[in-house]
Amino acid sequence: MALPKNLRNGFAPTEVEFLAESDMITIVPLHKMDALQLINGTYGPFRPPLKQEVPLWLAMTLKQKHKCQIQAPDWMDVDFLKTKLDEETANPEFSPMPFRFMEIAHLLLGCASDDIPQAETVRTLLKDLREARQSKARKGLQGLDPHYLQVDNMGLMEINEIRPFFSKAFNELRMLEPERTVGDSQTTASGMMSMS
Amino acid sequence: MLAGSLSPSPDDDDHMDTGPTIGTATDSTFTFSLNDDNDEDDTTYFNDDIRSLTQWWINERCAPELLMYQADLVESLMEMMEAQAGIIESKSSDTPDSAFLVVLYQQEMERIKFIIRSYLRTRLAKIQRHTLHILREAEYRSRLSIDEIMFAEKYQELLAHHFQKFALEELPDYLQRLDDTTENLTMVSRPDLEDAVFCRIKEQIGVFQLESSDEAIEMRPNNIYFLRYNAIRRLMEDGKVDLV
């Protein structure tokens, strides 16, 4: 078929990472290089040691060729992540993290761990954070009703992980609900809206 | 299955056809200068088409129904890639440095091609699933590109012919239809617009009344909701929420 079955209910983890590779990141070039006129825009010129903002995929390729150092994002910091972890375990809500933090962390720890201060500790803290958040997501399932669920501050990777199970559960609950409006769901417009 | 011959095979990924005509949809002017050694060169520009198409790809992947074909975006990106490919070709790659630059340019193009391919395939999968419904409803028909309409019609024709030949012609006339309906059952498969989706709010929306319950929710930027597609369908079309 045109789209493989495993891609029909959400994204593959590699696709989620692909999306994160378009996010911007700061690099310190190690070699002089002219500006790149990409379709997406102009990046550079690269003049060490002047910092540059580039898409993550570009940073990763440059890093692989030892042409740059990647500056770890502010949140990939031991102290910051420790505070986050405390916050995460103390509060019932998800604490705010960048939307693509898991993917970016995974990519950076994979290709540029030497540029991240205390990379191993960062890795462990992120893992703890992830587990704390995963258990919250599981608890969140109890709050599921066939109308809506607010999941603020969840990251894309986290959303994608719970998607198959949550949609199935949501749709089952929806079937169990007594019919509310009779009408053709194909043509009904969206819910009424009032501006506040 | 019969469909196999129509769907794009995974191997001819490099061959893309987005339409019979190459329009001039893009409004962004772009000048490329790979050979430029001048630092002060002022050709800095930024193009948002890739980001826009990426979001439409995500929307298409998450939405249960077929969305409007983003002809302008696809065409403008195809054009820019063609121009970029021409420039890369004219560019010598005899020194390691310039060869590396070419790799970077190609890498970006591969990323764009991936998005366009996956976008078109997602749409083809939906067309194959709800062919008859999409062809019959004017609203859905208008969301297809010319190539997609041709594909859908041909696909439906093959399917109907196949069913006819293999089984239906042996049955009594009144059992031969492919679009029979009884009171609340139809043979024409339709997308379930009440399907659950995740969405992220982009701009202030305010109090939003859910159709399916008496509850109203206040939608603020960056809120993420898990709800019925139908509820936020119009908001998504207006670009006020993104599916995620």
Side-chain angles (χ1 to χ4, degrees):
Chain A
M1 286 292 266
L3 196 71
K5 261 212 163 59
N6 62 328
L7 299 184
R8 277 187 226 163
N9 200 356
F11 293 89
T14 43
E15 287 178 312
V16 178
E17 283 193 355
F18 173 87
L19 289 169
E21 283 168 12
S22 301
D23 274 19
M24 299 300 276
I25 193 146
T26 309
I27 59 161
V28 183
L30 298 175
H31 289 279
K32 187 168 174 282
M33 197 168 84
D34 294 330
L36 285 166
Q37 310 280 353
L38 295 179
I39 293 173
N40 171 243
T42 312
Y43 299 103
F46 303 91
R47 297 284 175 265
L50 293 178
K51 287 177 184 170
Q52 282 285 338
E53 287 255 301
V54 297
L56 187 52
W57 65 264
L58 182 56
M60 283 164 59
T61 309
L62 292 174
K63 174 73 192 171
Q64 272 165 10
K65 302 280 175 195
H66 309 288
K67 286 179 190 289
C68 80
Q69 276 177 349
I70 295 178
Q71 198 176 56
D74 298 343
W75 51 268
M76 275 183 87
D77 169 81
V78 170
D79 289 337
F80 179 85
L81 286 173
K82 276 188 177 148
T83 329
K84 270 286 160 191
L85 189 59
D86 291 343
E87 201 181 302
E88 197 71 68
T89 34
N91 298 320
E93 301 97 41
F94 286 95
S95 52
M97 283 297 282
F99 191 50
R100 308 189 192 282
F101 80 96
M102 267 177 60
E103 308 86 293
I104 293 176
H106 183 247
L107 290 168
L108 287 182
L109 287 168
C111 82
S113 53
D114 53 330
D115 289 343
I116 297 155
Q118 296 174 269
E120 276 319 303
T121 321
V122 167
R123 199 190 296 268
T124 318
L125 283 168
L126 278 164
K127 194 164 166 277
D128 293 347
L129 191 64
R130 172 172 157 74
E131 276 163 15
R133 291 167 71 95
Q134 262 178 334
S135 82
K136 262 182 214 180
R138 276 195 292 272
K139 280 198 193 115
L141 190 59
Q142 289 168 357
L144 193 68
D145 68 25
H147 306 296
Y148 82 98
L149 184 69
Q150 193 162 354
V151 290
D152 291 354
N153 296 326
M154 264 191 123
L156 182 57
M157 193 63 105
E158 294 169 315
I159 287 173
N160 200 53
E161 268 170 8
I162 63 166
R163 190 195 319 263
F165 191 72
F166 271 58
S167 350
K168 183 101 172 90
F170 186 92
N171 288 338
E172 293 291 334
L173 284 171
R174 185 160 62 90
M175 304 294 173
L176 293 172
E177 221 203 5
E179 195 92 354
R180 192 182 145 92
T181 43
V182 196
D184 183 10
S185 66
Q186 299 295 313
T187 49
T188 329
S190 66
M192 275 181 299
M193 211 175 77
S194 57
M195 296 304 230
S196 67
Chain B
M1 202 188 121
L2 187 71
S5 58
L6 278 169
S7 45
S9 83
D11 298 322
D12 63 351
D13 275 349
D14 285 333
H15 185 75
M16 284 254 339
D17 190 0
T18 48
T21 52
I22 297 291
T24 46
T26 175
D27 48 357
S28 52
T29 50
F30 49 95
T31 45
F32 295 100
S33 47
L34 293 194
N35 272 321
D36 215 322
D37 290 321
N38 180 8
D39 275 9
E40 309 310 317
D41 187 28
D42 217 349
T43 52
T44 304
Y45 67 96
F46 181 75
N47 183 300
D48 214 26
D49 286 359
I50 300 176
R51 201 198 48 76
S52 307
L53 187 67
T54 306
Q55 186 54 51
W56 277 110
W57 169 54
I58 299 173
N59 287 351
E60 194 73 69
R61 279 286 284 274
C62 298
E65 63 171 345
L66 189 77
L67 307 177
M68 184 57 106
Y69 179 59
Q70 299 300 313
D72 290 358
L73 284 174
V74 173
E75 272 173 29
S76 102
L77 280 170
M78 291 301 286
E79 263 179 44
M80 283 191 274
M81 280 202 292
E82 214 166 290
Q84 184 84 313
I87 292 165
I88 293 174
E89 216 155 289
S90 67
K91 168 101 182 129
S92 65
S93 54
D94 34 16
T95 68
D97 269 0
S98 55
F100 180 63
L101 285 184
V102 169
V103 169
L104 295 178
Y105 288 107
Q106 276 168 344
Q107 199 183 349
E108 189 200 27
M109 300 210 338
E110 286 307 318
R111 292 179 60 83
I112 300 171
K113 280 190 210 161
F114 172 77
I115 294 168
I116 299 181
R117 277 200 296 265
S118 186
Y119 174 66
L120 295 177
R121 282 181 178 203
T122 308
R123 296 179 56 85
L124 282 185
K126 285 186 186 173
I127 294 171
Q128 285 181 326
R129 242 177 112 186
H130 309 295
T131 323
L132 209 50
H133 181 61
I134 287 172
L135 283 171
R136 282 186 180 176
E137 300 281 323
E139 155 119 42
Y140 283 114
R141 224 188 145 90
S142 68
R143 296 181 185 183
L144 300 177
S145 72
I146 298 164
D147 286 345
E148 284 170 343
I149 290 183
M150 273 166 51
F151 171 82
E153 279 172 349
K154 191 86 188 140
Y155 182 73
Q156 185 58 36
E157 197 185 303
L158 284 172
L159 214 55
H161 181 75
H162 176 75
F163 288 150
Q164 190 68 29
K165 268 268 168 289
F166 278 78
L168 294 178
E169 63 184 14
E170 310 291 338
L171 298 175
D173 277 355
Y174 72 99
L175 285 177
Q176 288 195 3
R177 296 179 59 87
L178 287 173
D179 56 353
D180 259 348
T181 45
T182 62
E183 232 170 274
N184 46 15
L185 264 178
T186 169
M187 282 177 76
V188 181
S189 83
R190 295 152 167 238
D192 178 7
L193 298 183
E194 305 264 279
D195 204 6
V197 292
F198 283 95
C199 72
R200 188 152 81 139
I201 313 301
K202 278 164 80 180
E203 48 185 87
Q204 184 67 30
I205 288 168
V207 179
F208 184 84
Q209 179 63 50
L210 285 175
E211 205 183 314
S212 63
S213 82
D214 298 324
E215 271 183 278
I217 43 185
E218 172 141 31
M219 291 185 164
R220 293 200 190 87
N222 289 325
N223 283 160
I224 301 173
Y225 289 99
F226 179 62
L227 34 61
R228 301 183 186 194
Y229 170 73
N230 224 350
I232 47 90
R233 180 182 185 199
R234 300 292 169 220
L235 291 175
M236 179 204 65
E237 283 166 1
D238 294 343
K240 289 183 177 150
V241 309
D242 283 339
L243 297 189
V244 288

